[in-house]
mmCIF file with all atom_site columns, all heavy atoms in Angstrom:
data_model
loop_
_atom_site.group_PDB
_atom_site.id
_atom_site.type_symbol
_atom_site.label_atom_id
_atom_site.label_alt_id
_atom_site.label_comp_id
_atom_site.label_asym_id
_atom_site.label_entity_id
_atom_site.label_seq_id
_atom_site.pdbx_PDB_ins_code
_atom_site.Cartn_x
_atom_site.Cartn_y
_atom_site.Cartn_z
_atom_site.occupancy
_atom_site.B_iso_or_equiv
_atom_site.pdbx_formal_charge
_atom_site.auth_seq_id
_atom_site.auth_comp_id
_atom_site.auth_asym_id
_atom_site.auth_atom_id
_atom_site.pdbx_PDB_model_num
ATOM 1  N N   . SER A 1 764 ? 1.718   -8.357  -70.419 1.00 90.00 ? 1039 SER A N   1
ATOM 2  C CA  . SER A 1 764 ? 1.893   -9.626  -71.135 1.00 90.00 ? 1039 SER A CA  1
ATOM 3  C C   . SER A 1 764 ? 1.100   -9.689  -72.387 1.00 90.00 ? 1039 SER A C   1
ATOM 4  O O   . SER A 1 764 ? 1.203   -10.625 -73.187 1.00 90.00 ? 1039 SER A O   1
ATOM 5  C CB  . SER A 1 764 ? 1.498   -10.775 -70.195 1.00 90.00 ? 1039 SER A CB  1
ATOM 6  O OG  . SER A 1 764 ? 0.133   -10.679 -69.842 1.00 90.00 ? 1039 SER A OG  1
ATOM 7  N N   . GLY A 1 765 ? 0.197   -8.731  -72.631 1.00 90.00 ? 1040 GLY A N   1
ATOM 8  C CA  . GLY A 1 765 ? -0.644  -8.732  -73.833 1.00 90.00 ? 1040 GLY A CA  1
ATOM 9  C C   . GLY A 1 765 ? -2.038  -9.255  -73.587 1.00 90.00 ? 1040 GLY A C   1
ATOM 10 O O   . GLY A 1 765 ? -2.902  -9.066  -74.439 1.00 90.00 ? 1040 GLY A O   1
ATOM 11 N N   . GLN A 1 766 ? -2.291  -9.869  -72.468 1.00 91.00 ? 1041 GLN A N   1
ATOM 12 C CA  . GLN A 1 766 ? -3.609  -10.391 -72.141 1.00 91.00 ? 1041 GLN A CA  1
ATOM 13 C C   . GLN A 1 766 ? -4.564  -9.226  -71.872 1.00 91.00 ? 1041 GLN A C   1
ATOM 14 O O   . GLN A 1 766 ? -4.164  -8.195  -71.307 1.00 91.00 ? 1041 GLN A O   1
ATOM 15 C CB  . GLN A 1 766 ? -3.545  -11.322 -70.959 1.00 91.00 ? 1041 GLN A CB  1
ATOM 16 C CG  . GLN A 1 766 ? -2.841  -12.629 -71.196 1.00 91.00 ? 1041 GLN A CG  1
ATOM 17 C CD  . GLN A 1 766 ? -2.758  -13.462 -69.935 1.00 91.00 ? 1041 GLN A CD  1
ATOM 18 O OE1 . GLN A 1 766 ? -2.265  -13.033 -68.923 1.00 91.00 ? 1041 GLN A OE1 1
ATOM 19 N NE2 . GLN A 1 766 ? -3.314  -14.683 -70.030 1.00 91.00 ? 1041 GLN A NE2 1
ATOM 20 N N   . ILE A 1 767 ? -5.837  -9.430  -72.214 1.00 92.00 ? 1042 ILE A N   1
ATOM 21 C CA  . ILE A 1 767 ? -6.866  -8.404  -71.961 1.00 92.00 ? 1042 ILE A CA  1
ATOM 22 C C   . ILE A 1 767 ? -7.769  -8.925  -70.811 1.00 92.00 ? 1042 ILE A C   1
ATOM 23 O O   . ILE A 1 767 ? -8.289  -10.028 -70.851 1.00 92.00 ? 1042 ILE A O   1
ATOM 24 C CB  . ILE A 1 767 ? -7.693  -8.132  -73.240 1.00 92.00 ? 1042 ILE A CB  1
ATOM 25 C CG1 . ILE A 1 767 ? -6.786  -7.617  -74.357 1.00 92.00 ? 1042 ILE A CG1 1
ATOM 26 C CG2 . ILE A 1 767 ? -8.803  -7.165  -72.935 1.00 92.00 ? 1042 ILE A CG2 1
ATOM 27 C CD1 . ILE A 1 767 ? -7.513  -7.423  -75.675 1.00 92.00 ? 1042 ILE A CD1 1
ATOM 28 N N   . TYR A 1 768 ? -7.925  -8.059  -69.841 1.00 93.00 ? 1043 TYR A N   1
ATOM 29 C CA  . TYR A 1 768 ? -8.756  -8.376  -68.713 1.00 93.00 ? 1043 TYR A CA  1
ATOM 30 C C   . TYR A 1 768 ? -9.843  -7.286  -68.530 1.00 93.00 ? 1043 TYR A C   1
ATOM 31 O O   . TYR A 1 768 ? -9.571  -6.094  -68.819 1.00 93.00 ? 1043 TYR A O   1
ATOM 32 C CB  . TYR A 1 768 ? -7.968  -8.449  -67.427 1.00 93.00 ? 1043 TYR A CB  1
ATOM 33 C CG  . TYR A 1 768 ? -7.299  -9.799  -67.173 1.00 93.00 ? 1043 TYR A CG  1
ATOM 34 C CD1 . TYR A 1 768 ? -6.085  -10.109 -67.789 1.00 93.00 ? 1043 TYR A CD1 1
ATOM 35 C CD2 . TYR A 1 768 ? -7.926  -10.772 -66.374 1.00 93.00 ? 1043 TYR A CD2 1
ATOM 36 C CE1 . TYR A 1 768 ? -5.465  -11.333 -67.577 1.00 93.00 ? 1043 TYR A CE1 1
ATOM 37 C CE2 . TYR A 1 768 ? -7.293  -12.008 -66.182 1.00 93.00 ? 1043 TYR A CE2 1
ATOM 38 C CZ  . TYR A 1 768 ? -6.104  -12.294 -66.776 1.00 93.00 ? 1043 TYR A CZ  1
ATOM 39 O OH  . TYR A 1 768 ? -5.516  -13.519 -66.571 1.00 93.00 ? 1043 TYR A OH  1
ATOM 40 N N   . VAL A 1 769 ? -10.988 -7.710  -68.121 1.00 93.00 ? 1044 VAL A N   1
ATOM 41 C CA  . VAL A 1 769 ? -12.014 -6.764  -67.692 1.00 93.00 ? 1044 VAL A CA  1
ATOM 42 C C   . VAL A 1 769 ? -12.182 -6.903  -66.194 1.00 93.00 ? 1044 VAL A C   1
ATOM 43 O O   . VAL A 1 769 ? -12.325 -7.991  -65.668 1.00 93.00 ? 1044 VAL A O   1
ATOM 44 C CB  . VAL A 1 769 ? -13.366 -7.006  -68.432 1.00 93.00 ? 1044 VAL A CB  1
ATOM 45 C CG1 . VAL A 1 769 ? -13.856 -8.433  -68.239 1.00 93.00 ? 1044 VAL A CG1 1
ATOM 46 C CG2 . VAL A 1 769 ? -14.444 -6.022  -67.938 1.00 93.00 ? 1044 VAL A CG2 1
ATOM 47 N N   . PHE A 1 770 ? -12.101 -5.795  -65.511 1.00 94.00 ? 1045 PHE A N   1
ATOM 48 C CA  . PHE A 1 770 ? -12.314 -5.699  -64.069 1.00 94.00 ? 1045 PHE A CA  1
ATOM 49 C C   . PHE A 1 770 ? -13.630 -4.941  -63.808 1.00 94.00 ? 1045 PHE A C   1
ATOM 50 O O   . PHE A 1 770 ? -13.862 -3.916  -64.444 1.00 94.00 ? 1045 PHE A O   1
ATOM 51 C CB  . PHE A 1 770 ? -11.169 -4.949  -63.369 1.00 94.00 ? 1045 PHE A CB  1
ATOM 52 C CG  . PHE A 1 770 ? -9.841  -5.731  -63.384 1.00 94.00 ? 1045 PHE A CG  1
ATOM 53 C CD1 . PHE A 1 770 ? -8.922  -5.501  -64.392 1.00 94.00 ? 1045 PHE A CD1 1
ATOM 54 C CD2 . PHE A 1 770 ? -9.566  -6.629  -62.417 1.00 94.00 ? 1045 PHE A CD2 1
ATOM 55 C CE1 . PHE A 1 770 ? -7.732  -6.153  -64.418 1.00 94.00 ? 1045 PHE A CE1 1
ATOM 56 C CE2 . PHE A 1 770 ? -8.380  -7.331  -62.444 1.00 94.00 ? 1045 PHE A CE2 1
ATOM 57 C CZ  . PHE A 1 770 ? -7.443  -7.094  -63.423 1.00 94.00 ? 1045 PHE A CZ  1
ATOM 58 N N   . CYS A 1 771 ? -14.379 -5.478  -62.891 1.00 93.00 ? 1046 CYS A N   1
ATOM 59 C CA  . CYS A 1 771 ? -15.712 -4.888  -62.623 1.00 93.00 ? 1046 CYS A CA  1
ATOM 60 C C   . CYS A 1 771 ? -15.910 -4.832  -61.105 1.00 93.00 ? 1046 CYS A C   1
ATOM 61 O O   . CYS A 1 771 ? -15.541 -5.722  -60.352 1.00 93.00 ? 1046 CYS A O   1
ATOM 62 C CB  . CYS A 1 771 ? -16.808 -5.722  -63.269 1.00 93.00 ? 1046 CYS A CB  1
ATOM 63 S SG  . CYS A 1 771 ? -18.442 -5.026  -63.123 1.00 93.00 ? 1046 CYS A SG  1
ATOM 64 N N   . LYS A 1 772 ? -16.489 -3.708  -60.648 1.00 92.00 ? 1047 LYS A N   1
ATOM 65 C CA  . LYS A 1 772 ? -16.826 -3.543  -59.236 1.00 92.00 ? 1047 LYS A CA  1
ATOM 66 C C   . LYS A 1 772 ? -18.218 -2.958  -59.147 1.00 92.00 ? 1047 LYS A C   1
ATOM 67 O O   . LYS A 1 772 ? -18.645 -2.151  -60.012 1.00 92.00 ? 1047 LYS A O   1
ATOM 68 C CB  . LYS A 1 772 ? -15.821 -2.687  -58.508 1.00 92.00 ? 1047 LYS A CB  1
ATOM 69 C CG  . LYS A 1 772 ? -15.840 -1.235  -58.918 1.00 92.00 ? 1047 LYS A CG  1
ATOM 70 C CD  . LYS A 1 772 ? -14.837 -0.421  -58.116 1.00 92.00 ? 1047 LYS A CD  1
ATOM 71 C CE  . LYS A 1 772 ? -14.851 1.037   -58.589 1.00 92.00 ? 1047 LYS A CE  1
ATOM 72 N NZ  . LYS A 1 772 ? -13.825 1.835   -57.912 1.00 92.00 ? 1047 LYS A NZ  1
ATOM 73 N N   . GLY A 1 773 ? -18.957 -3.329  -58.132 1.00 89.00 ? 1048 GLY A N   1
ATOM 74 C CA  . GLY A 1 773 ? -20.292 -2.807  -57.976 1.00 89.00 ? 1048 GLY A CA  1
ATOM 75 C C   . GLY A 1 773 ? -21.000 -3.368  -56.741 1.00 89.00 ? 1048 GLY A C   1
ATOM 76 O O   . GLY A 1 773 ? -20.400 -4.083  -55.918 1.00 89.00 ? 1048 GLY A O   1
ATOM 77 N N   . ALA A 1 774 ? -22.288 -3.105  -56.625 1.00 87.00 ? 1049 ALA A N   1
ATOM 78 C CA  . ALA A 1 774 ? -23.066 -3.573  -55.507 1.00 87.00 ? 1049 ALA A CA  1
ATOM 79 C C   . ALA A 1 774 ? -23.169 -5.078  -55.573 1.00 87.00 ? 1049 ALA A C   1
ATOM 80 O O   . ALA A 1 774 ? -23.273 -5.663  -56.676 1.00 87.00 ? 1049 ALA A O   1
ATOM 81 C CB  . ALA A 1 774 ? -24.463 -2.944  -55.541 1.00 87.00 ? 1049 ALA A CB  1
ATOM 82 N N   . ASP A 1 775 ? -23.155 -5.725  -54.408 1.00 85.00 ? 1050 ASP A N   1
ATOM 83 C CA  . ASP A 1 775 ? -23.176 -7.176  -54.395 1.00 85.00 ? 1050 ASP A CA  1
ATOM 84 C C   . ASP A 1 775 ? -24.436 -7.744  -55.034 1.00 85.00 ? 1050 ASP A C   1
ATOM 85 O O   . ASP A 1 775 ? -24.395 -8.785  -55.691 1.00 85.00 ? 1050 ASP A O   1
ATOM 86 C CB  . ASP A 1 775 ? -23.009 -7.681  -52.960 1.00 85.00 ? 1050 ASP A CB  1
ATOM 87 C CG  . ASP A 1 775 ? -24.073 -7.138  -52.024 1.00 85.00 ? 1050 ASP A CG  1
ATOM 88 O OD1 . ASP A 1 775 ? -24.001 -5.935  -51.698 1.00 85.00 ? 1050 ASP A OD1 1
ATOM 89 O OD2 . ASP A 1 775 ? -24.943 -7.870  -51.654 1.00 85.00 ? 1050 ASP A OD2 1
#
Side-chain angles (χ1 to χ4, degrees):
S1039 61
Q1041 291 177 303
I1042 299 175
Y1043 276 84
V1044 56
F1045 291 93
C1046 185
K1047 67 179 179 184
D1050 56 286

